[in-house]
Amino acid sequence: MTIGEILGNEELRRHEFPVAREKIFLAHAGVCPLPRRVAEAIADCAAKATLGDQEEFMLSRLEDARKLGAQLLNCQPDEIALVGPTSLALSFVASGLKLRRGDNVLIYHDDYPSNVYPWMAMAERGIEVRLLNTRGLGVIRPKDVVGQVDENTKLVALASCHFISGFRIEISEIGKMLQERGILFCVDGIQTLGAFPTTVEHVDFLAADAHKWLLGPCAAGILYVRKQSQPILTPPVYGWHNVRNPNFVAQSEIVFRNGAVKYEAGTQNLLGVVGLIACMEMALELGIENIAAELLRKREWLVPELQKRGFAVVNADSKPNAGSITSFFHSQKDMVALHKKLTEAGIVSSLRVDRKGKNYIRFAPHFYNTDAELHRAVDLLSA
């Protein structure tokens, strides 16, 4: 199956993505609807689970999930842990690093809360939490980052793409600069994984759940921990799965298993992992580069069409760093009422607000959304 086949065959599109039968779904930066193949994989697993030990027949599939995650991130399977929610995985990193009083970490305060609060909590341990200054909402350039670290900076935590502005950071360039300075780099990758190439050659930690651009279930995500960084990230959780216990007998010493599995304390969300496998297989089948090209094509049409209708688009000119998110507002229109109008017409979008209280409508179409759907949504804004 290719993106061209999906967009060129409405029957196929509606079969593979049942939501398209009911509504125009443009909110993939929030929580996605499940494709048919993902839902069927989960349902099939649930049915098999009625016939015996539900974990036994799934054990081999856990390694499949790690291999697929490694393919997506261009890393090794033993650098992938199956840790569900992004918030949980990021909290593992924040709580597992043994930083000292007087060390500092650099974060972006206007990022999504999942990538803010875990780092803010480090202040309770005497760690200085610095807030990155930027030229615009989510506009984070490599020189901005490097210019705001010093000899006491131990970690920088950023999102791969801002959840309102859609600005994608230059992960590799920032990572290289930080590596040269001996500074760890943690990435919240949920807004690009499954939508754009998101590789980790110069990243120490990355977390991403499946329920946005990967088109997978909630609380089924991956945590990447670079092999060289695993010795310095102590698991903050302990259980039968990540601590060695031959024959399920607790030992006199805590010895963690090798590899990133040491961050998986107990039994995984097996149904979620099955859905995660199915959505990662689909993304790799379609090709991440192909998905990215289609998402950028859609944004290149959306931005000028919205501007023609008097809307201001956040980071409209950020073409090299453009993501799959298009947020916009109008100084003379009630964005809350406009969002309600879209919803009542069967067009699902997101309403977001910034620190100053300004409301934005966010369009986040995926590869399976048609041009006709985008035309209808934009036309309704000015109807």
Side-chain angles (χ1 to χ4, degrees):
M1 187 173 68
T2 67
I3 293 174
E5 289 171 346
I6 293 168
L7 295 177
N9 184 333
E10 185 64 8
E11 183 178 351
L12 173 66
R13 188 178 82 95
R14 293 189 175 196
H15 174 79
E16 293 289 339
F17 304 94
V19 69
R21 297 177 179 177
E22 306 293 332
K23 58 193 73 172
I24 297 173
F25 195 91
L26 306 178
H28 296 90
V31 179
C32 72
L34 293 179
R36 179 180 297 278
R37 66 170 67 185
V38 176
E40 288 181 345
I42 295 171
D44 180 63
C45 178
K48 289 179 180 177
T50 66
L51 303 177
D53 183 334
Q54 61 180 299
E55 184 180 49
E56 185 175 350
F57 67 85
M58 263 297 298
L59 291 178
S60 63
R61 302 243 62 193
L62 298 177
E63 191 56 33
D64 292 340
R66 296 189 186 97
K67 288 178 180 178
L68 290 165
Q71 272 188 266
L72 282 171
L73 294 178
N74 193 26
C75 65
Q76 298 302 313
D78 63 355
E79 296 177 306
I80 297 292
L82 302 175
V83 178
T86 308
S87 299
L88 183 63
L90 293 173
S91 293
F92 278 12
V93 178
S95 58
L97 288 174
K98 303 305 180 185
L99 303 188
R100 297 179 296 179
R101 186 176 295 273
D103 291 340
N104 71 67
V105 298
L106 182 65
I107 68 171
Y108 183 50
H109 201 212
D110 283 325
D111 206 346
Y112 195 75
S114 295
N115 199 34
V116 176
Y117 291 147
W119 315 112
M120 286 178 61
M122 297 176 85
E124 298 173 0
R125 293 149 50 192
I127 297 162
E128 180 187 359
V129 181
R130 295 186 173 182
L131 307 181
L132 183 70
N133 292 314
T134 64
R135 296 178 61 186
L137 185 62
V139 180
I140 300 174
R141 303 168 300 174
K143 64 181 180 180
D144 297 328
V145 177
V146 175
Q148 296 178 56
V149 300
D150 61 21
E151 65 276 7
N152 293 320
T153 305
K154 303 304 178 185
L155 176 134
V156 172
L158 301 172
S160 58
C161 178
H162 192 261
F163 74 107
I164 294 178
S165 71
F167 188 96
R168 284 188 298 128
I169 66 171
E170 296 163 54
I171 296 176
S172 291
E173 187 173 347
I174 292 173
K176 284 179 185 177
M177 291 179 174
L178 294 176
Q179 278 185 346
E180 291 170 358
R181 292 161 174 79
I183 300 172
L184 297 170
F185 188 25
C186 182
V187 174
D188 173 355
I190 198 170
Q191 289 292 5
T192 57
L193 193 62
F196 290 90
T198 307
T199 55
V200 292
E201 291 86 347
H202 304 287
V203 174
D204 293 281
F205 317 106
L206 180 144
D209 204 338
H211 67 263
K212 297 187 189 294
W213 301 98
L214 270 176
L215 298 175
C218 295
I222 57 179
L223 168 63
Y224 158 80
V225 182
R226 176 187 291 276
K227 192 171 297 185
Q228 296 91 325
S229 299
Q230 290 175 13
I232 63 172
L233 182 65
T234 302
V237 291
Y238 303 80
W240 73 270
H241 191 259
N242 66 337
V243 179
R244 296 187 182 279
N245 54 96
N247 298 314
F248 306 109
V249 176
Q251 305 297 293
S252 58
E253 295 183 5
I254 293 177
V255 179
F256 291 109
R257 293 177 62 190
N258 295 325
V261 294
K262 73 178 185 178
Y263 306 106
E264 302 173 10
T267 302
Q268 289 89 350
N269 168 16
L270 298 178
L271 292 177
V273 170
V274 168
L276 174 65
I277 290 170
C279 70
M280 289 193 293
E281 287 176 337
M282 181 175 66
L284 290 166
E285 176 187 337
L286 295 172
I288 297 298
E289 295 283 356
N290 298 329
I291 293 172
E294 178 61 21
L295 296 179
L296 289 176
R297 185 188 71 81
K298 286 175 164 63
R299 178 180 162 87
E300 287 176 6
W301 180 85
L302 267 174
V303 171
E305 288 298 319
L306 289 166
Q307 291 174 325
K308 286 178 188 177
R309 291 159 173 78
F311 291 95
V313 179
V314 184
N315 288 323
D317 299 323
S318 63
K319 193 169 183 178
N321 299 89
S324 40
I325 291 169
T326 303
S327 296
F328 53 94
F329 64 94
H330 198 296
S331 59
Q332 299 177 346
K333 291 182 181 289
D334 183 341
M335 301 305 289
V336 176
L338 203 52
H339 176 258
K340 182 180 179 182
K341 180 181 178 181
L342 289 168
T343 303
E344 291 174 346
I347 300 172
V348 183
S349 61
S350 302
L351 186 66
R352 292 293 180 264
V353 60
D354 64 17
R355 189 171 297 278
K356 297 179 181 179
K358 179 181 290 184
N359 289 308
Y360 304 86
I361 289 176
R362 183 179 70 186
F363 281 173
H366 219 318
F367 61 82
Y368 68 88
N369 289 114
T370 64
D371 290 354
E373 288 181 322
L374 297 184
H375 279 268
R376 183 182 168 196
V378 172
D379 288 344
L380 188 64
L381 291 171
S382 54

